[in-house]
């Protein structure tokens, strides 16, 4: 009578000779050791090990991914002794009065009045009429106060233009316990209106909608027109992009952040057209930042790890509606762990430099989950050109030129750049 159910190993031992059983046991032991080694490497290199379960749930912004590297643990710990390295204090702030024009990624950035700039998750509009740049973003204190606006002629000295869209204007949709994120503004040449799109949500990220507002001037005030789910789908991290021909597009993370959706806006930029394309399906990407160079569209995204930073990816396409192809991580310089976390930041916008084709500013946020109003800005030079990445998402030689974001502790725009 058997002592218990037979396993594959016990069945094999009943038929193998002692010599074969010994060799089989050594092979099994080596395989087990290799599996343990792979698990150890994965857990220390932040490589995702698939689990035999359903797709992971949506990780909200207030619930970072568990089991991240020690560097990320320190970054997220508000009591960490390394906190000052990630979030330097006011003594090292970027102050326009010093006239150096040096960007210092991760440092406090002051406006012309000496106050920290509040424009998180933002984007920049260049207004051709006034030859001025306008930087829009989340104005935060304890919660979201509204959309802040700053103006500049040189992309370094920023004047506070105030709250151009307050939370109170939005029928309590963005009450301080709720969310207003990633505001972006584009100009409609046909209607003469400045149009703002943003992500509006409740504190649990269940509303998952976009809000739309318009203004006659870049400095507002903006009139809120309401919210909706584009194409009938949930929408979280999002951006809008105006093409050379004046057609504007919305790109948003959808279906519980498992894919991105992209589609054109109506001519007045106040709604979406019905045609929509699903892209990066199953890749769980968010924080899209889209730009164009020599007829090719590029998009930088992040993974979905809450407030914890992760590795950036670049996708390229000949048509903005796709297909899109992943061409790799654009981050260059600094230590490996720094590059693999997008320099401890998350993408929000890519700003082309007028007069310098192929040169851009990569705009990102270094989120401070313990005190979101103290989140920092990471602006770095982005260039297109040079050797392509060795392989693309299919494993073959990439046909696209390299997109490079270069790390610098401090840097400034080239002297040849002029507005």
């Amino acid at each position: 009578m058997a002592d218990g159910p037979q396993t594959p190993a016990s069945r094999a031992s009943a038929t193998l000779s002692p010599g074969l059983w010994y060799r089989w046991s050594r092979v099994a032991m080596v395989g087990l050791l290799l599996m343990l080694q792979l698990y150890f490497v994965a857990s220390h290199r932040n490589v995702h090990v698939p689990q035999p379960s359903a797709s992971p749930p949506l990780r909200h912004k207030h619930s970072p991914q568990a089991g991240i590297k020690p560097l990320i643990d320190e970054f997220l710990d508000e009591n960490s002794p390394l906190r000052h390295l990630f979030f330097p204090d006011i003594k090292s702030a970027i102050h326009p009065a010093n006239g150096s024009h040096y960007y210092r990624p991760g440092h406090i950035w002051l406006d012309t009045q000496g106050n920290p700039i509040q424009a998180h998750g933002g984007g920049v509009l260049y207004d051709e009429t006034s030859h001025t740049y306008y930087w829009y973003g989340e104005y935060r204190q304890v919660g979201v106060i509204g959309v802040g606006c700053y103006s500049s002629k040189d992309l370094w000295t920023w004047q506070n233009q105030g709250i151009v869209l307050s939370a109170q204007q939005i029928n309590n949709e963005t009450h301080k316990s709720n969310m207003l994120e990633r505001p972006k503004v584009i100009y409609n040449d046909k209607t003469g209106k400045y149009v703002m799109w943003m992500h509006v949500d409740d504190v649990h990220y269940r509303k998952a909608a976009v809000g739309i507002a318009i203004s006659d001037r870049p400095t507002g005030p903006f009139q809120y027109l309401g919210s909706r789910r584009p194409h009938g789908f949930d929408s979280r991290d999002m951006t809008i992009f105006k093409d050379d021909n004046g057609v504007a597009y919305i790109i948003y993370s959808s279906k519980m952040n498992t894919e991105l959706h992209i589609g054109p806006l109506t001519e007045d930029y106040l709604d979406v057209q019905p045609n929509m394309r699903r892209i990066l399906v199953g890749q769980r990407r968010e924080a899209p930042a889209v730009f164009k160079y020599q007829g090719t569209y590029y998009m930088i995204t992040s993974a979905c790890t809450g407030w914890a930073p992760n590795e950036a990816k670049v996708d390229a396409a000949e048509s903005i509606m796709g297909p899109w192809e992943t061409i790799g991580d654009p981050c260059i310089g600094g230590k490996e762990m720094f590059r693999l976390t997008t320099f401890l930041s998350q993408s929000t916008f890519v700003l082309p430099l007028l007069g310098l084709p192929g040169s851009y500013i990569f705009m990102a946020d270094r989120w401070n989950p313990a005190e979101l109003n103290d989140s920092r800005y990471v602006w770095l030079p982005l260039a297109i050109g040079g050797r392509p990445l060795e392989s693309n998402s299919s494993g073959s030689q990439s046909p696209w030129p390299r997109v490079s974001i270069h790390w610098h502790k401090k840097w400034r725009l080239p002297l040849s750049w002029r507005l």
Side-chain angles (χ1 to χ4, degrees):
M1 188 166 77
D3 294 331
Q6 283 192 315
T7 64
S10 63
R11 286 195 296 269
S13 64
T15 56
L16 293 176
S17 66
L20 287 174
W21 167 247
Y22 174 76
R23 288 194 292 272
W24 185 90
S25 300
R26 285 177 59 88
V27 170
M29 181 60 68
V30 169
L32 177 61
L33 290 174
L34 285 173
M35 289 179 65
L36 290 173
Q37 184 178 14
L38 285 172
Y39 176 80
F40 177 83
V41 170
S43 63
H44 285 73
R45 290 179 59 88
N46 204 27
V47 177
H48 175 64
V49 181
Q51 300 295 322
S53 61
S55 58
L58 173 68
R59 294 188 180 96
H60 300 312
K61 291 289 187 182
H62 59 279
S63 179
Q65 181 184 16
I68 303 178
K69 304 175 185 178
L71 175 67
I72 306 302
D73 292 337
E74 295 286 352
F75 175 82
L76 296 174
D77 182 6
E78 59 183 299
N79 298 314
S80 169
L82 302 179
R83 193 71 171 168
H84 68 285
L85 298 178
F86 308 134
F87 301 97
D89 61 25
I90 192 70
K91 296 178 182 178
S92 63
I94 305 170
H95 200 304
N98 65 29
S100 70
H101 286 73
Y102 275 105
Y103 298 100
R104 293 179 179 269
H107 288 243
I108 295 173
W109 196 346
L110 305 180
D111 62 22
T112 55
Q113 297 177 325
N115 299 314
I117 295 173
Q118 289 287 332
H120 311 289
V124 173
L125 166 74
Y126 175 65
D127 184 56
E128 296 181 353
T129 302
S130 60
H131 303 288
T132 302
Y133 287 94
Y134 293 94
W135 180 6
Y136 304 90
E138 305 159 24
Y139 196 103
R140 291 179 172 271
Q141 290 180 0
V142 176
V144 180
I145 305 302
V147 178
C149 175
Y150 296 81
S151 62
S152 177
K153 294 287 188 180
D154 58 8
L155 292 175
W156 190 77
T157 305
W158 294 94
Q159 181 179 354
N160 188 358
Q161 298 293 338
I163 304 296
V164 296
L165 181 70
S166 68
Q168 289 79 6
Q169 292 175 255
I170 312 181
N171 299 322
N172 294 321
E173 283 192 85
T174 56
H175 182 269
K176 64 181 181 180
S177 64
N178 293 335
M179 303 293 169
L180 184 163
E181 297 180 337
R182 299 185 173 271
K184 304 294 186 293
V185 176
I186 53 177
Y187 178 70
N188 191 302
D189 301 279
K190 294 182 178 180
T191 65
K193 300 288 187 180
Y194 296 86
V195 184
M196 178 188 298
W197 285 64
M198 70 213 84
H199 169 209
V200 295
D201 223 317
D202 58 40
V203 71
H204 300 293
Y205 286 85
R206 292 174 298 198
K207 181 179 178 64
V210 295
I212 303 100
I214 59 171
S215 175
D216 294 326
R217 299 185 306 233
T219 55
F222 280 78
Q223 176 189 359
Y224 188 66
L225 302 180
S227 67
R228 69 205 65 179
R229 283 190 165 190
H231 308 107
F233 288 93
D234 58 306
S235 171
R236 293 179 173 84
D237 278 9
M238 50 72 61
T239 192
I240 50 176
F241 173 77
K242 181 181 176 181
D243 209 342
D244 302 331
N245 59 4
V247 178
Y249 297 82
I250 182 172
I251 305 95
Y252 58 96
S253 184
S254 190
K255 301 196 75 172
M256 302 296 283
N257 284 359
T258 60
E259 61 191 39
L260 293 179
H261 293 176
I262 185 168
L265 303 183
T266 53
E267 286 192 5
D268 57 9
Y269 300 170
L270 302 182
D271 203 351
V272 296
Q273 296 190 38
N275 50 318
M276 178 271 288
R277 179 70 62 87
R278 301 167 59 208
I279 61 175
L280 309 190
V281 176
Q283 296 189 33
R284 298 190 61 81
R285 307 301 293 179
E286 64 178 6
V290 180
F291 58 105
K292 184 179 182 180
Y293 177 62
Q294 292 186 345
T296 298
Y297 299 88
Y298 298 91
M299 177 167 54
I300 299 176
T301 60
S302 79
C304 300
T305 54
W307 297 113
N310 53 65
E311 185 178 13
K313 288 289 172 59
V314 179
D315 287 82
E318 294 180 354
S319 166
I320 193 168
M321 296 293 281
W324 288 82
E325 181 179 3
T326 302
I327 61 175
D329 184 346
C331 296
I332 296 175
K335 295 184 178 180
E336 181 183 14
M337 293 298 296
F338 210 36
R339 295 192 301 272
L340 291 176
T341 57
T342 318
F343 312 121
L344 296 174
S345 68
Q346 184 184 39
S347 52
T348 184
F349 196 76
V350 175
L351 175 64
L353 289 175
L354 299 178
L356 293 177
S359 297
Y360 301 80
I361 295 178
F362 171 69
M363 295 172 52
D365 295 282
R366 181 172 293 177
W367 296 111
N368 182 351
E371 196 173 355
L372 286 171
N373 62 302
D374 190 40
S375 298
R376 308 298 175 81
Y377 311 105
V378 174
W379 286 26
L380 290 168
L382 181 152
I384 301 178
R387 289 185 56 193
L389 298 176
E390 292 184 2
S391 62
N392 55 19
S393 55
S394 64
S396 59
Q397 183 70 33
S398 174
W400 312 100
R402 188 180 186 102
V403 176
S404 304
I405 301 171
H406 296 268
W407 169 251
H408 298 277
K409 290 183 178 179
K410 69 174 187 177
W411 67 283
R412 63 180 180 179
L413 295 172
L415 295 178
S416 59
W417 180 78
R418 292 291 184 271
L419 181 62

